[in-house]
Amino acid sequence: MPDEVRVPRLIGLMAVDARESAAKHGVLLAAPDRPDFHQVVVDYVVRQYPTPGVWVPRDAVVTVWFELGPGDAGGAGVREPRRPEPPDGGLHRELDEPGPEVGAVW
């Protein structure tokens, strides 16, 4: 086993996938903003240190931070599609200039 490993890219991964990737690459994870880190599943990693690709000693700690969840101030909100969706189609054709109104007296 090599004494050094490359830090994997964890940004964009869900917590559960970040833990799995870290274990596969031989590094440990710490999350100072999530004391319940080992129970977090669907929050996404938004930052990590050291950066991806850096060589570190095997079992070194990579610190990750997560986006704020719905229960936190400033949460990212819901991601499902909203209804109604915008109408299909391209630009509306330009309408002609309005003419004199029917029955108007000039």
Side-chain angles (χ1 to χ4, degrees):
M1 259 198 283
D3 291 336
E4 288 191 334
V5 295
R6 279 194 159 188
V7 174
R9 179 173 177 81
L10 304 171
I11 298 169
L13 296 180
M14 289 191 306
V16 66
D17 296 328
R19 286 192 298 267
E20 185 177 303
S21 181
K24 184 172 94 176
H25 287 87
V27 295
L28 304 173
L29 291 185
D33 63 338
R34 290 287 196 255
D36 59 343
F37 170 63
H38 294 289
Q39 298 172 352
V40 174
V41 176
V42 296
D43 287 359
Y44 287 86
V45 175
V46 294
R47 193 169 55 141
Q48 76 179 73
Y49 182 81
T51 56
V54 172
W55 288 94
V56 296
R58 180 170 293 283
D59 295 327
V61 175
V62 176
T63 304
V64 294
W65 290 267
F66 294 92
E67 72 182 359
L68 298 175
D72 297 328
V78 178
R79 290 186 175 78
E80 76 241 12
R82 295 293 187 185
R83 303 283 187 252
E85 293 178 358
D88 290 334
L91 297 172
H92 295 284
R93 69 179 182 89
E94 186 176 331
L95 299 176
D96 295 330
E97 288 291 320
E101 293 181 29
V102 175
V105 180
W106 294 102

